[in-house]
Amino acid sequence: MFTKGKALLAMFVTGLLLAPTMAFAAGSGGAPIVMVADTRKLTGIMAWWANLYNESHLYFTILTVILIPVIGVIFGVLADIIMHFIGIDLKSRDLAEH
């Protein structure tokens, strides 16, 4: 049965899928849009990261996909160390609901 909620969800998903097409159609038909990062006031690793984005979107994407899980693991291990240091032991906990 097709309910009002399913119809709204279908409209929302269709809108999301067609959004890039609508944005492309809204252009003036001139030159393609160039996406670059402004590196004039950046220094150090921020300048390197922005220059990597400007030079190669592929390398930027690959490095980002690799770094996000690595940073997540680092933060998780740090959180585990801090919780262990303050006395929270999640390895041998008893479930309160059982």
Side-chain angles (χ1 to χ4, degrees):
M1 176 133 216
F2 207 68
T3 63
K4 185 185 258 187
K6 288 181 182 178
L8 288 173
L9 180 63
M11 286 175 37
F12 179 72
V13 170
T14 302
L16 284 178
L17 292 175
L18 293 178
T21 305
M22 290 185 288
F24 181 70
S28 63
I33 297 173
V34 178
M35 298 179 355
V36 294
D38 185 9
T39 60
R40 290 177 287 185
K41 295 181 181 179
L42 299 177
T43 58
I45 194 162
M46 295 297 289
W48 176 80
W49 193 255
N51 285 327
L52 179 66
Y53 177 80
N54 288 339
E55 293 168 7
S56 173
H57 290 293
L58 177 65
Y59 290 154
F60 176 82
T61 303
I62 291 170
L63 194 58
T64 301
V65 168
I66 291 170
L67 282 178
I68 288 174
V70 169
I71 292 170
V73 168
I74 291 169
F75 284 162
V77 169
L78 285 174
D80 191 42
I81 291 169
I82 291 169
M83 286 190 296
H84 181 71
F85 180 73
I86 62 174
I88 300 173
D89 187 16
L90 296 177
K91 293 179 180 162
S92 61
R93 68 185 186 107
D94 293 327
L95 294 176
E97 58 269 4
H98 290 225

